[in-house]
Amino acid sequence: LRELGPAGDGVVGAVGVTGRNAEKAAPLAAEFGAEGVDWDARVHWGADMVINTTPMGMSGERQGDTAFPAQGFVAQAVAAGETGKPGRRGLAYDLVYNPLRTRFLSEAADAGWDTQDGLAMFVEQGREQFRLWTGLELPAEGARTLVAVALGLGDVAVGRVCGQCELPGVHTGSGKG
């Protein structure tokens, strides 16, 4: 968040942080100069980007869960004063990487939002750890393929799918961008 600069000074107008536990979310929001958003009011806050940083949706017992209700993606248009439109297009970014298509992302896409799964973040974390531990660079495409195989994701993970799985305009080393 610090890299984006102060809210209202260019890149972003405002940053909100919410969490099921307000006692944990409030200090995090304060640390980064963000607005604390009440968990129950999050769907009406008016976000252009919603990022799921929880394990909700991850393969296993939480796979069917979501941190942001489907009606929240549509409600963003109302919060922005854009009534009459089916929903304002924003970006829904899910840090979950397995499965790639979570309920959170599916519901966002259904409301007309662009989506980004968490695979690139997971791969880049691994590449940075590899560099720190070994002093060597792990090639991006090789790392993506390795993770894809390990997770049983196949070609989906190496950028050979629709725009719903890759952030438009971001080069991933897969030939798409």
Side-chain angles (χ1 to χ4, degrees):
L1 291 174
R2 286 188 184 105
E3 296 295 321
L4 296 174
D9 287 348
V11 178
V12 295
V15 175
V17 173
T18 190
R20 292 170 289 170
N21 182 328
E23 291 177 8
K24 290 182 180 179
L28 180 64
E31 179 180 345
F32 290 99
E35 180 179 341
V37 178
D38 182 80
W39 180 256
D40 293 327
R42 70 194 185 284
V43 300
H44 302 291
W45 191 69
D48 292 314
M49 179 186 292
V50 177
I51 305 171
N52 175 33
T53 62
T54 76
M56 291 182 184
M58 187 64 111
S59 180
E61 68 181 54
R62 310 289 315 255
Q63 189 164 340
D65 295 346
T66 183
F68 200 75
Q71 65 271 23
F73 292 108
V74 176
Q76 299 309 306
V78 175
E82 297 181 17
T83 55
K85 293 185 180 181
R88 179 179 64 188
R89 286 180 56 91
L91 175 66
Y93 183 13
D94 198 341
L95 296 186
V96 168
Y97 53 85
N98 188 17
L100 291 180
R101 183 48 113 209
T102 60
R103 177 178 159 197
F104 173 82
L105 293 179
S106 293
E107 291 174 351
D110 289 348
W113 283 51
D114 291 325
T115 62
Q116 174 65 42
D117 61 70
L119 185 65
M121 178 275 314
F122 186 59
V123 168
E124 290 306 314
Q125 283 181 335
R127 289 184 67 223
E128 180 63 10
Q129 290 169 359
F130 185 85
R131 186 191 65 76
L132 290 171
W133 293 334
T134 67
L136 303 172
E137 296 291 329
L138 184 63
E141 186 63 29
R144 289 177 64 81
T145 301
L146 181 65
V147 171
V149 169
L151 294 174
L153 301 174
D155 282 350
V156 170
V158 292
R160 294 188 183 101
V161 212
C162 66
Q164 294 295 327
C165 301
E166 296 291 333
L167 183 60
V170 175
H171 180 66
T172 63
S174 65
K176 296 188 100 161

